[in-house]
Each structure stands twice: as structure tokens, then as C-alpha cells.
Amino acid sequence: MDEWKPNPAVKPHKKRSWYLAWKYKLMNQRALRKLCQTGAVLFLLVTVIVNIKLILDTRRAAYEEEEESAQDYDDEMLNVEVPRHPVNNKKVLDVEVYSSRSKVYVAVDGTTVLEDEAREQGRGIHVIVLNQATGHVMAKRVFDTYSPHEDEAMVLFLNMVARGRILIFTIKDEGSFHLKETAKNVLKSLGSQVAPFLSWRDMWTFVGRKGGEVYGEKHAKSPALSTWGDPVLLKTEVHLTSVEDAECHWPDTELNRRRKRFCSKVEGYGSVCSCKDPTPIEFNPDPLKDNKVFDVPVAVIAGNRPNYLYRMLRSLLSAQGVNPQMITVFIDGYYEEPMDVVELFGLSGIQHTPISIKNARVSQHYKASLTATFNLFPDAKFAVVLEEDLDISVDFFSFLSQSIHLLEEDESLYCISAWNDQGYEHTAEDPSLLYRVETMPGLGWVLRKSLYKDELEPKWPTPEKLWDWDMWMRMPEQRKGRECIIPDISRSYHFGIVGLNMNGYFHEAYFKKHKFNTVPNVQLKNVESLRKENYETEIHRLLGEAEVLDHSKNPCEDSFVPDTEGKVYVMFIKMEQEADFTTWTQLAKCLHIWDLDVRGNHKGLWRLFRKKNHFLVVGVPASPYSSKKPSSVTPIYMEPPAKEEGAVAVPAVAAAEQT
Amino acid sequence: QNGAGFSKVRGSQSGQDSTRWHVVRKFLGLLSSHNIPVYLIDPLILGLVDKDIEQIRSSPDGPSPECKYFCAPRDFTTFALLDKTWKHEGGLFRTAEKMGFQWLKIINKDPRLDGMDDLSGMEIPLHYIFKLASHAIHLVVFYERSGNFLWHGPLRLKQHMDRKFVPFRKLHFGRYPGAYEKPELLLVSIDDLKVQIPKNPSSFLQEMSHSRFLECRYREARAFFQLYPDDASLDAVEFRKKAKSLLHLAALTLNNLGVKFWLSSGTCLGWYRQCNVIPHSKDVDLGIFIRDYKADIIPAFQKAGLPLKHKFGKVEDSLELSFQGEDDVKLDIFFFYEEDDHIWNGGTQAKSGKKFKYLFPKFTLCWTEFVELKVHVPCETLQYVEANYGPEWKVPVKTWDWKSSPSNVQDNGVWPVDEWDDVIQIY
């Protein structure tokens, strides 16, 4: 069995979700202690493994180096006979591609365009796309086809690359384990003879023109399961075509000029660069009548995920009532491609030199972006804050336009957010319904300038404090008991799966089943009832109307809620004091909603939908609404499962996966 | 058909230049075809317009019998453009070229991002020049800044630029950056051209003569904070917040009275050295020329909720007012007396009646942006700060004795005892 684990010290990709689970669970003291114990044992184990591996690696590396130099020499000898000068005015590119267990590189005309020898990353198939006329690198991707589903992403990407482009492939470490038939066939259709037979720990390089000739391919088979194929170095030449041949002939308009600039620089955006029928880059959604947020600046916080940014901006610019002139994209770092995307859509972008690391870096980027937003739009009383991995609902601005006056007038409000943490497919129902919650969901929200300028900006965590900005904003010192307004059905959708705190596993469990409004022009119901005092009246009315559920049944069972529609039900759970979320967390777990920390509560009350009925949960006796509990009803108590070592996040994720 | 009308004028009246009129007309046509609103800020034309303003206001559509304003032979005519009213589309320039205009764009860093660590936006256009035949249009781009005012940038040529494109030195805007109130505009017809002008041309011209703007020295401020990390304690945050709101209140009160003031002493040092309020300074300091003194000042502050804390000196000599702001933060207003070769303000020690004099080299006033406010500071800030704090002003000092620490303090005798009741008032 052990032999089937390649690179045992490469950490499984689940580690991000572990990190997240930690982050949220750290508040829990007991979990913390357990965690420390587990942590210590794990640490010991890892240290031992790393040390053993280090010894093995050093030996192997020394061996490998000898081999590489030998190979280099060989290739030099062979290459002597190849004519090095361009013939017939055609420009020729020299391309070198290297594939090995621990290092890959690609050099074009002597310039290294890819070099990856970092340990424990960059595993899989590296793909580089060159412009066939200029030789410029248009895209660089790595698909970890040792892991599942990455081959699908690669196929998607390769299909989007325009015909005629030069494609360069090279494998680092392992690239075949989850490389399925479909992907192999795509590679084969590009002209690769080896791809169909690529197997465990083979080394492979390939250079070809999409839909055209093959410039070279090299392959080294792995002799045994426990070892890698020998490093391969491919040296070849690519003939460049004329610029006209490499470009599309779109009508000469302002938009197409932007499109042309974009499409000659980058690849992997599919139909936006299609010659025949390019997808529009201007959307002109219907304007909003009486749009109260037309002059509100929109700050899009971005990193280096240009494809995400592209998807995000498309949805943002398609939302009714959008005002592109108010949008600024803040890019964390000097990355070119996100800026290219921003320019494609004719928006303004600002780059930010990173000044810290990890979470603190994100936090500093947020601060700089917010400050800059209010500097650039000094008249603004609010700013809309978005992230690059969100889809924006078609009625996002309509939703804000109808609710923003509350944020202006009701000082007990902290924010308006487009995201309902508990709004899953099976728990959200009413697009016209709003809630007040004590938590700050983020993911598309409105910030009041006075809150930022007077309170947050002056004491924003400094770079040496490695804090998450959102966690910091949720702390009682900042929130000061204020609440956020959220919709029942979210107006944003979190699609990002590669991020600092995000991976596919985690996304699948907590975000994929989130409900997202697609109905335009939703008229929000009873907005005035969201004001502080009015909301209490509203809640009392609801509780008065609500039917008390049968507390002898198991609340996790579907039958707990009758098969009705449009009714209001209430259940009472045990909640000894304000911070006692024991039962709630268990309930959230079995309802398959957010359970990593407590979200969406208002004075010990949660509101969601079950089977199209409004479903209220009151924590007794901590909630002031406890008085609504009939004396005959005993609040339900749900015990947390007996803690197994290291079982902190797994049950929740596993549960969510079953849905 | 208008053009034809004035072509005739050209022959009949010497010293007239219908080229200018034609170029302006073409330019206005170009911009309106792209829906870009501009307004006239040419000081020479506005000066002429101001004389006839009543008549022009009363007949916004009337045909003009002669070309009075746009035909005086000049090298250029100046217009303003509000940045937020247009979309920066390249189409404008292509149309301009087709119409025969040559154009030049002056871009530079965005000062609104300058104060921020490590942000680099796109450079922003500050000035455009459109040239046709012998006439040029200078289009000044105005930006909204924090503090509810408009800002235009300096005009600086980069190396590769054509220095002879227009006589740059003669341009009315661009020698310095400038700060302006947001103007009310009026659509008028002058010389048969429909054009927007500031509603009150004379006050615009007045404003223009004092519009010079100084940017805070953000880079130096950053260097300062590298050396002396900022105080981020809760007290410091609270004090800054109070000082900011006190300054906003003081500015509102004095602006309503029409009294010109500037940042002085510690507040000025805070702006100049660190682009922020010095958290351990404990008060807000303003300067006012004694010639701008008004008796309404004290009641106005009291009405604004700031009671008088003390009043030292008198209008003729060493006047100084102090108002009590929220929780211990006080507002000190020093009145400045102008002499032939220097300017001074006075100080008084309450218990002894001793007088002090603080001397400054002469200075003029510039606008700046400070804590989301458009305020005045001495243009010659370095001399001002050095006079007050000496050459070591860059080093923060926590203990400061206003009677001995300033490097420009002089003993100035003692108030006669019989005047004490008047010149030493403490509340």
C-alpha cells in the first residue's frame, strides 16, 4: 500500500479546510486543548517523516544531477547539426522544455519563461501558451493531474485556447495518476503520440501548434513504481507566423480595440477572443429606476486569479443598475493579467504592492483599497465591497437601492450584506425577505464611510498582526452590538475554489449548495420592518403566528416539519447563556448548513426555511423570545458527538457531502 | 451660419481674430458630440464677461451684434472639465484628429492615491491641449478631493514632449496645482456660442488668484513613520478623532463668517511632518491675520457649542483666543500681526502677566487637504515650521513649553496691571 503513495510528505490538499476548521473552532476551549495534543503528536510524526525523506532526497538529488548534466551534454551534441538561422524571413523561436521529478523549466529564445523547482508544489502538467506571431507567453498554467478533476480543468483550458497558438507541456513529479481518457485524447488530438500511454511517474515534454504541426515530443518511462522516469530535455524550433495571421479581423471599434489588445496578450478566456462570434464585453443591462446606489463606489478586491476576476466582472457588469464608472478593481500585487482583464472591460484598476504576508497581506490590501475608494470618491457616503470570486446577482443593485436608506438612517446597523450564511438551496426560499443578523457575512457588502473613517480605519490591524480582516470586523470591539441586513436568498455566489482559505473540498461542503437569486427586479417586502424597533415588532408578530413543532421528534429528521407550505413554525433549543451554541451547532450540522461558527443569529433566534415553511429556532432561556415558549415544551438539547482525536471538522464536511 | 456671420466681421474690424472664434466653436461642437460638459474658465474672457454679466444673464439666447469675447487675438482659450463627468473614451481624440485638431495630453500620478502606501493606479490626465491652426484650447481637468473641493494638477512637461506645442509659460493654469470650490454653472450665449461659465465670474476670478494648492509630503511622512512608528493606542485614535471633528467645526464656523484662517503651530507641524494630527499634541491650533478679525468670532464659536476658555491680549496687541472643545481638546486661535519684514503673534502668561512674541518670516497662504478638509497652510511651510520649532522639528518632542521651547519666542514685557482684567480673561 505504501508504495502507492507518491511523495508521502506532500501534504494532502485537504489541509486548507483544516486550517479553516481550526480558525472557526479555536474559540472553543475544549477543542483547543484536544487540538494541541493532536497537534503535538502529528508534529512529531511529521518531523520523523520529513527527516527520513530529507536523507533519501539528498541522495536522490545528487544522483539526479549527475544524470542531468550528462543529458545536457548529449543534447548539445545532437543539436549541432540543426540549422540555427531562420530561413525565408520567417522568424524562428528556440524552445527548450525540461521535465523531471523535482524541476521543470521552459526557455524561449534563451529566456526562461517557466522555472519551478520548489519543493512540494507545482506537481502535475505545466502548460504554456505562446503567441504564434510574437512568441509572447499568453498563459501559464499548472494542472495537478495527480489529483482528481484537475484533468477536466486542463481540458476546459485547452479547449479555450485559440487555434494556431503554440502549446508547450511538461510534467513535474507526477502527472498521470488522475489523467483520464478524455484528457489523454485531447492531448492526442494536439498531436502527442505519447499522451495516450503516459503512466505513473513518466517524464514528458511536448511542443505543438494547436490544430497544426508538432514541434517535438520527448518521453521517459518510469522503470518501476517507486522511481521516476529520467529527466527529459526537449530542444526544438518553432516557426512564427505573421501578426495578421495570428489576429482576428473584428470591426474596428473602441470595444474591439480593447478586445484585440487583450486577446493578443493572454489566453484561456474562450469565446471573448473568438474570431467568428466573440462574446460581448459590454453588457448594457437595463438601468434601474430611481437607483439609490448609482453613485456608490464599488471596490472589487482582487488577487492574482484573473479567470475569476473575468467571471466576476462579467456578472457585475451584467447586473441591472450597474455604473461602470464607479467600479475600481484593486489588485494585490503587480500582476499583469488581472490588469489586462480590468482593461478589457474598460474599468479602472489599481495595483497594490504587497506589504505583508498571508492573512495580514489580505487585510492590508483591504485597508488600502477602502481608503483609496473613499479618496477617489470623496462624495460617497458608502462603498460596495466585492471580491473577485463572487458572482453578482442580476438584482444586486436593486436589492441595495431598496435597502441602503436603512444603513444611512439606522445607527444600529453595521452593514448590508448580499450573502446569507445560512441560505442554502434547502433553507432559503423568499427573494423578497430580509433579516437582521448579529454576524457580518461579507461576500458582497456595503460599508458606511463614517464607520470606516471614524472607527475602522484608525485602528485597523497593523501588518504585524496576522489577523483576518473579516474576523477582526466581527469582533465585539468593532461591531459594538450592531447588526447587518441580509437577504434570505443571497445576492452573491461564492464560486472561488482556489484561495487562501479555500479549496475544492471545503467549497463543495459549504458553498456549492448555496442559493443564489436569479430573478430580476425583486421587490423587497416590508423594508421598513428592518429598522431596529420595527424588527422586534415583526419578530413578535411572527412568533405569535408560529405553530410550535412537536418537540418529542428528532429535529434532524425531515418529518420534524410537517409537509406543508408557507406556514411558520418554531422550535426551542437549549441555550444556557448568550454564548452557548452547543445545541445550535449540532442542529446546524444535521441541517447541513454553516456550522463552523455561529452565523445568522439575532438575539438567540435563527430564521430559515424548511420544506418551504418559515422555520424559527429560539434558544431558551438566553433569548429574549424565550417567553414565547409554552410551558409544556422542553427545549431540545443536542449533545456534541464524543470527540475523537482530530475529528474536529471532518464530521461536518462528511455530512455536507451526503446532501 | 454663425461662422459666416463673423467671417465678415473679421474684415471689417481690425485686431479681431475669427480663427479663435472658429476654433472654440469647433472645440465646443466636438465635446458636445461626445456628451462631455466643459465650462469656460479663461480669466481674460471671464473678466470681460463679468463686466456685462447682468446683460448676459438676462438674455441667455440673444444674438450678439459683434464678436466681443472670443475674437480678441490670443494664443489659447481655457476650459475646465470635471473628471467624473466623462468616461475617458478614446473616441474623442479620434474625432478631434479627424476635425484637424492636434492634441497633447499631460498625465501624472493620482494625488488622491499618493498618500497611500504602495498603491499604483493608472496615471490620470491633468491637462489637455487641443490645437487647430494658430489657436489652442487648454482644457484643465478638475478632480473631486476629500474635503468637498475641486483640484487641478500642475502642468509639467515630460522629456519627450514638444516644448513648443504652445507657449506653455503663458498658460493661466498649471504653474501650480489649484484648489477650488465646486462652482455653480450658468449656460449663456456669448458671441453666438452656447457655453457654460461660472455663475459668478468675479468670485471665480478672485478664487483663482488664491488657488495655489500644496500636496502633503506623503513620502516624507512615510519616512517619518518608519523612524517613529505611529501611536496606534486607543487614546491616540480617540484624540485624532476629536481633533478632526473640532477642526471641521472650527472650519465651518470661520468659513461661515468669511474669516480666513490657517493651520498653525502643532497642527501645522502635524500636517507638514506626518500628514496627520499629532496624537500627543492635545489641542488644535489655528492662525488668523488680525486684519481679518471680526467681533462675531467669539459668539459664533459659542453658538457652535465651543465655549470661550480664555482670551488673552486685545485686538491691538497679542490677541489670542482659546475655546473648549469636547473632552479636554481645545482650540487655540492665534492672531497674527504683519510688520514690514516679519509677522508675529503674541502670548501671555496668565499668572504673571508676562508677554511673549513669536516671530515668523513673511508668508502667503496656500490650500491643502488635511483630515478630509480643504484648509490653508503657509505656502512657505518649512520656514514657518522652522521658525516655530527650530531645525530639529523632525524629531518628535513630547514635552513642550510654549514659553521657552519655541525657537522664535521673545520676551515682550509685561501687561500693565490695570489692563489685566481686559487682556487676561479666563473662564
Side-chain angles (χ1 to χ4, degrees):
Chain A
M1 269 309 278
D2 264 348
E3 283 188 342
W4 275 99
K5 280 189 187 155
N7 264 1
V10 172
K11 288 180 193 93
H13 275 215
K14 282 171 195 172
K15 86 175 176 197
R16 290 290 190 215
S17 65
W18 274 87
Y19 162 72
L20 256 186
W22 284 11
K23 194 172 88 174
Y24 296 116
K25 288 283 177 175
L26 272 181
M27 329 250 167
N28 188 330
Q29 287 297 319
R30 259 187 305 169
L32 187 69
R33 205 165 348 107
K34 289 270 179 190
L35 214 74
C36 288
Q37 290 169 358
T38 324
V41 173
L42 269 173
F43 181 77
L44 251 160
L45 254 161
V46 168
T47 322
V48 171
I49 295 174
V50 164
N51 273 316
I52 294 173
K53 190 174 170 282
L54 209 74
I55 297 165
L56 289 174
D57 273 356
T58 331
R59 287 194 189 155
R60 223 177 259 135
Y63 175 60
E64 219 171 67
E65 245 161 47
E66 273 173 34
E67 228 178 27
E68 278 163 32
S69 48
Q71 179 122 13
D72 269 358
Y73 184 71
D74 281 346
D75 265 70
E76 281 301 312
M77 296 303 284
L78 285 173
N79 269 339
V80 172
E81 312 197 1
V82 179
R84 306 220 61 147
H85 294 287
V87 210
N88 295 342
N89 262 349
K90 272 200 168 175
K91 253 193 88 188
V92 171
L93 289 180
D94 290 326
V95 178
E96 277 182 43
V97 195
Y98 182 78
S99 163
S100 75
R101 182 205 158 199
S102 56
K103 174 180 178 174
V104 285
Y105 76 81
V106 173
V108 176
D109 267 355
T111 308
T112 306
V113 297
L114 165 74
E115 185 162 27
D116 184 348
E117 47 185 335
R119 275 170 178 277
E120 298 187 2
Q121 48 178 299
R123 176 181 59 198
I125 304 182
H126 291 247
V127 186
I128 285 186
V129 184
L130 301 184
N131 185 300
Q132 66 272 41
T134 61
H136 286 155
V137 176
M138 301 184 73
K140 239 197 254 192
R141 299 281 191 280
V142 53
F143 301 97
D144 179 12
T145 44
Y146 166 78
S147 306
H149 304 302
E150 288 274 314
D151 62 333
E152 294 159 22
M154 183 174 77
V155 168
L156 215 68
F157 174 74
L158 291 175
N159 285 339
M160 279 198 283
V161 171
R163 274 177 75 88
R165 301 282 188 233
I166 313 299
L167 289 164
I168 302 173
F169 295 84
T170 177
I171 285 182
K172 183 179 175 187
D173 188 1
E174 213 302 305
S176 75
F177 190 44
H178 274 103
L179 189 69
K180 303 269 165 55
E181 266 329 284
T182 325
K184 286 182 174 173
N185 284 335
V186 169
L187 295 176
K188 189 180 165 197
S189 74
L190 291 170
S192 166
Q193 298 189 335
V194 176
F197 315 107
L198 260 186
S199 61
W200 179 246
R201 288 180 175 172
D202 285 358
M203 294 301 131
W204 174 63
T205 57
F206 175 77
V207 181
R209 180 189 300 274
K210 187 167 177 187
E213 64 251 71
V214 171
Y215 297 108
E217 181 165 29
K218 269 197 175 179
H219 175 230
K221 256 202 101 43
S222 155
L225 279 183
S226 57
T227 53
W228 285 259
D230 292 339
V232 293
L233 176 66
L234 170 66
K235 293 189 176 191
T236 183
E237 290 187 336
V238 169
H239 293 263
L240 294 177
T241 59
S242 70
V243 175
E244 290 81 67
D245 290 348
E247 279 183 349
C248 298
H249 301 281
W250 297 303
D252 185 36
T253 63
E254 177 108 19
L255 289 182
N256 280 340
R257 244 172 260 131
R258 292 205 311 245
R259 189 193 297 278
K260 205 168 200 165
R261 214 176 306 136
F262 181 78
C263 295
S264 68
K265 274 183 88 176
V266 296
E267 256 294 355
Y269 293 82
S271 53
V272 75
C273 295
S274 141
C275 286
K276 251 178 82 189
D277 187 18
T279 187
I281 52 171
E282 194 176 56
F283 307 94
N284 300 314
D286 293 341
L288 261 191
K289 246 200 237 161
D290 194 21
N291 187 350
K292 302 270 201 308
V293 291
F294 191 73
D295 289 329
V296 175
V298 177
V300 179
I301 315 287
N304 190 19
R305 298 184 290 181
N307 288 76
Y308 284 13
L309 185 61
Y310 174 81
R311 170 170 168 181
M312 188 276 166
L313 292 177
R314 284 192 80 88
S315 79
L316 176 63
L317 292 169
S318 307
Q320 288 180 4
V322 66
N323 180 358
Q325 275 188 273
M326 300 305 285
I327 299 173
T328 314
V329 181
F330 294 91
I331 299 162
D332 190 11
Y334 281 97
Y335 300 117
E336 257 183 69
E337 199 166 322
M339 205 59 174
D340 294 332
V341 171
V342 171
E343 283 169 11
L344 170 71
F345 290 114
L347 299 173
S348 44
I350 288 174
Q351 288 167 315
H352 181 205
T353 319
I355 41 180
S356 189
I357 48 160
K358 293 203 179 117
N359 298 13
R361 170 168 163 180
V362 173
S363 170
Q364 293 310 305
H365 181 52
Y366 254 88
K367 183 187 181 189
S369 307
L370 297 177
T371 302
T373 299
F374 289 118
N375 281 353
L376 291 171
F377 301 96
D379 281 352
K381 283 193 222 151
F382 307 98
V384 174
V385 185
L386 300 172
E387 284 154 54
E388 67 185 342
D389 51 4
L390 296 178
D391 281 329
I392 299 305
S393 165
V394 64
D395 81 328
F396 178 76
F397 292 104
S398 158
F399 157 71
L400 294 181
S401 176
Q402 293 175 67
S403 55
I404 196 141
H405 67 283
L406 293 175
L407 193 56
E408 192 165 3
E409 294 156 15
D410 184 347
E411 291 198 340
S412 69
L413 287 178
Y414 198 47
C415 77
I416 297 176
S417 173
W419 179 260
N420 176 5
D421 284 305
Q422 308 296 22
Y424 290 84
E425 289 286 357
H426 60 291
T427 55
E429 206 56 53
D430 185 351
S432 67
L433 185 61
L434 303 179
Y435 301 134
R436 278 179 83 105
V437 296
E438 289 168 19
T439 49
M440 198 226 135
L443 300 178
W445 55 290
V446 186
L447 168 68
R448 198 194 279 131
K449 180 180 183 176
S450 58
L451 170 66
Y452 182 66
K453 279 282 164 191
D454 299 342
E455 300 183 40
L456 303 180
E457 187 188 37
K459 51 178 185 177
W460 197 272
T462 43
E464 71 276 7
K465 301 199 177 86
L466 303 177
W467 287 350
D468 281 330
W469 68 274
D470 52 340
M471 287 300 182
W472 177 77
M473 267 195 79
R474 285 173 189 140
M475 280 154 66
E477 295 88 323
Q478 275 64 252
R479 195 171 61 79
K480 293 183 180 158
R482 289 169 291 192
E483 296 187 297
C484 289
I485 292 207
I486 59 162
D488 178 52
I489 299 182
S490 298
R491 262 47 175 202
S492 60
Y493 178 74
H494 191 227
F495 65 76
I497 52 169
V498 187
L500 187 57
N501 295 337
M502 210 33 84
N503 63 38
Y505 196 57
F506 186 76
H507 184 264
E508 186 101 357
Y510 286 100
F511 292 100
K512 208 171 170 189
K513 305 274 182 188
H514 230 93
K515 199 154 184 171
F516 175 61
N517 181 54
T518 51
V519 183
N521 285 319
V522 175
Q523 189 67 41
L524 299 181
K525 200 163 55 189
N526 218 351
V527 177
E528 291 309 303
S529 72
L530 271 298
R531 288 179 196 272
K532 192 174 186 207
E533 283 79 23
N534 299 356
Y535 197 65
E536 294 314 307
T537 318
E538 173 69 11
I539 296 295
H540 280 103
R541 188 191 64 74
L542 263 178
L543 287 167
E545 180 190 320
E547 199 173 298
V548 179
L549 289 162
D550 181 352
H551 281 56
S552 63
K553 287 187 177 168
N554 180 352
C556 296
E557 300 277 322
D558 220 28
S559 59
F560 186 67
V561 177
D563 291 322
T564 54
E565 270 187 31
K567 305 252 293 190
V568 185
Y569 294 113
V570 61
M571 76 172 283
F572 299 90
I573 60 169
K574 201 162 164 191
M575 184 172 166
E576 291 298 349
Q577 8 76 27
E578 227 181 295
D580 169 20
F581 299 117
T582 319
T583 302
W584 166 255
T585 306
Q586 295 316 311
L587 183 64
K589 232 168 240 185
C590 75
L591 295 180
H592 302 160
I593 56 180
W594 184 272
D595 60 1
L596 294 186
D597 59 0
V598 178
R599 302 277 175 99
N601 49 317
H602 167 84
K603 297 189 178 177
L605 165 84
W606 287 265
R607 298 175 63 179
L608 43 136
F609 281 84
R610 280 182 84 173
K611 296 186 185 167
K612 305 202 177 203
N613 301 295
H614 204 19
F615 176 67
L616 312 176
V617 180
V618 177
V620 178
S623 168
Y625 310 123
S626 302
S627 56
K628 296 278 175 179
K629 182 184 76 65
S631 51
S632 57
V633 168
T634 312
I636 290 179
Y637 173 67
M638 295 168 78
E639 214 164 324
K643 290 259 164 64
E644 285 168 46
E645 296 302 304
V648 188
V650 176
V653 174
E657 269 187 338
Q658 285 162 14
T659 57
Chain B
Q1 71 277 17
N2 281 333
F6 283 122
S7 309
K8 285 177 210 146
V9 174
R10 188 190 192 182
S12 61
Q13 259 175 287
S14 61
Q16 292 272 357
D17 180 8
S18 73
T19 310
R20 183 187 191 188
W21 184 88
H22 280 285
V23 172
V24 169
R25 191 181 66 123
K26 272 198 158 183
F27 173 75
L28 290 173
L30 165 70
L31 289 181
S32 74
S33 72
H34 284 82
N35 284 319
I36 303 171
V38 293
Y39 57 98
L40 184 72
I41 52 168
D42 193 292
L44 301 177
I45 298 181
L46 286 182
L48 295 173
V49 164
D50 190 49
K51 288 184 191 140
D52 306 335
I53 190 71
E54 288 311 319
Q55 190 198 338
I56 290 171
R57 271 191 196 138
S58 60
S59 58
D61 296 313
S64 13
E66 49 167 348
C67 182
K68 244 180 117 175
Y69 310 98
F70 286 113
C71 290
R74 297 273 177 247
D75 294 324
F76 49 83
T77 307
T78 317
F79 285 89
L81 164 63
L82 271 184
D83 169 70
K84 73 165 187 181
T85 57
W86 79 304
K87 290 185 190 170
H88 298 253
E89 272 164 354
L92 172 71
F93 302 101
R94 273 186 295 279
T95 320
E97 279 162 16
K98 278 182 202 141
M99 290 168 77
F101 281 104
Q102 286 176 278
W103 57 275
L104 182 80
K105 175 162 85 166
I106 311 263
I107 58 172
N108 216 325
K109 280 197 306 200
D110 190 334
R112 297 166 302 177
L113 301 177
D114 228 26
M116 311 206 36
D117 284 347
D118 316 304
L119 279 196
S120 60
M122 303 167 186
E123 296 204 313
I124 53 170
L126 300 180
H127 298 263
Y128 291 101
I129 293 171
F130 291 85
K131 192 168 77 170
L132 184 65
S134 60
H135 193 71
I137 304 288
H138 178 195
L139 184 60
V140 184
V141 188
F142 282 80
Y143 290 85
E144 287 188 354
R145 296 276 301 250
S146 292
N148 199 30
F149 67 98
L150 298 181
W151 171 91
H152 75 74
L155 194 156
R156 301 283 176 269
L157 296 176
K158 299 212 168 138
Q159 290 233 313
H160 60 277
M161 284 179 171
D162 176 4
R163 266 139 222 285
K164 299 211 170 91
F165 190 71
V166 287
F168 286 101
R169 287 182 180 283
K170 289 196 205 163
L171 295 176
H172 297 296
F173 289 80
R175 191 171 148 78
Y176 299 114
Y180 290 80
E181 293 300 301
K182 293 176 186 171
E184 269 189 86
L185 298 178
L186 184 69
L187 182 66
V188 296
S189 171
I190 47 180
D191 292 348
D192 290 345
L193 294 175
K194 284 232 181 278
V195 60
Q196 295 211 85
I197 60 167
K199 200 169 180 184
N200 188 337
S202 67
S203 64
F204 179 83
L205 293 171
Q206 177 68 22
E207 198 181 6
M208 184 182 160
S209 61
H210 299 102
S211 65
R212 186 177 163 196
F213 181 88
L214 282 186
E215 205 64 69
C216 200
R217 300 153 70 247
Y218 295 112
R219 208 179 324 148
E220 287 84 352
R222 272 202 288 281
F224 173 83
F225 285 124
Q226 292 279 316
L227 230 57
Y228 310 100
D230 199 11
D231 182 356
S233 66
L234 215 58
D235 284 353
V237 168
E238 274 304 297
F239 174 74
R240 279 192 168 138
K241 193 175 152 187
K242 284 177 201 152
K244 177 180 165 185
S245 74
L246 182 58
L247 189 56
H248 274 250
L249 186 58
L252 183 71
T253 310
L254 291 170
N255 290 340
N256 282 342
L257 291 173
V259 173
K260 191 159 64 178
F261 68 93
W262 66 89
L263 304 183
S264 192
S265 306
T267 310
C268 184
L269 177 65
W271 170 77
Y272 190 68
R273 186 173 69 189
Q274 50 207 73
C275 299
N276 206 339
V277 173
I278 301 175
H280 55 263
S281 57
K282 304 298 168 218
D283 51 21
V284 171
D285 304 310
L286 301 180
I288 293 177
F289 285 120
I290 195 67
R291 59 177 144 86
D292 293 327
Y293 173 79
K294 284 185 181 169
D296 308 349
I297 290 177
I298 296 173
F301 274 110
Q302 282 167 335
K303 220 172 141 189
L306 300 176
L308 186 63
K309 190 163 183 268
H310 63 241
K311 178 186 173 198
F312 293 147
K314 49 190 180 178
V315 175
E316 301 77 38
D317 184 10
S318 302
L319 183 64
E320 181 191 332
L321 301 174
S322 186
F323 297 93
Q324 186 61 58
E326 197 193 329
D327 310 324
D328 277 1
V329 186
K330 97 185 148 38
L331 172 70
D332 289 329
I333 300 183
F334 304 103
F335 289 85
F336 282 69
Y337 296 78
E338 284 176 276
E339 307 292 341
D340 286 342
D341 60 347
H342 69 279
I343 298 179
W344 63 276
N345 73 299
T348 299
Q349 187 178 28
K351 63 170 196 270
S352 64
K354 268 192 199 161
K355 290 168 72 188
F356 300 92
K357 199 172 192 177
Y358 303 87
L359 274 67
F360 294 89
K362 288 220 155 196
F363 57 85
T364 51
L365 292 179
C366 277
W367 291 111
T368 193
E369 182 194 314
F370 185 59
V371 293
E372 294 175 72
L373 209 55
K374 174 192 167 214
V375 284
H376 276 124
V377 287
C379 300
E380 298 78 11
T381 329
L382 178 62
Q383 286 95 304
Y384 189 86
V385 167
E386 277 195 337
N388 217 179
Y389 295 96
E392 297 298 306
W393 59 270
K394 279 188 183 169
V395 183
V397 180
K398 290 224 175 177
T399 49
W400 185 259
D401 180 4
W402 58 271
K403 300 178 296 302
S404 58
S405 301
S407 52
N408 59 340
V409 67
Q410 285 183 2
D411 287 335
N412 191 24
V414 181
W415 289 106
V417 177
D418 58 326
E419 278 190 54
W420 280 28
D421 281 350
D422 186 33
V423 300
I424 306 176
Q425 300 181 22
I426 298 176
Y427 300 92

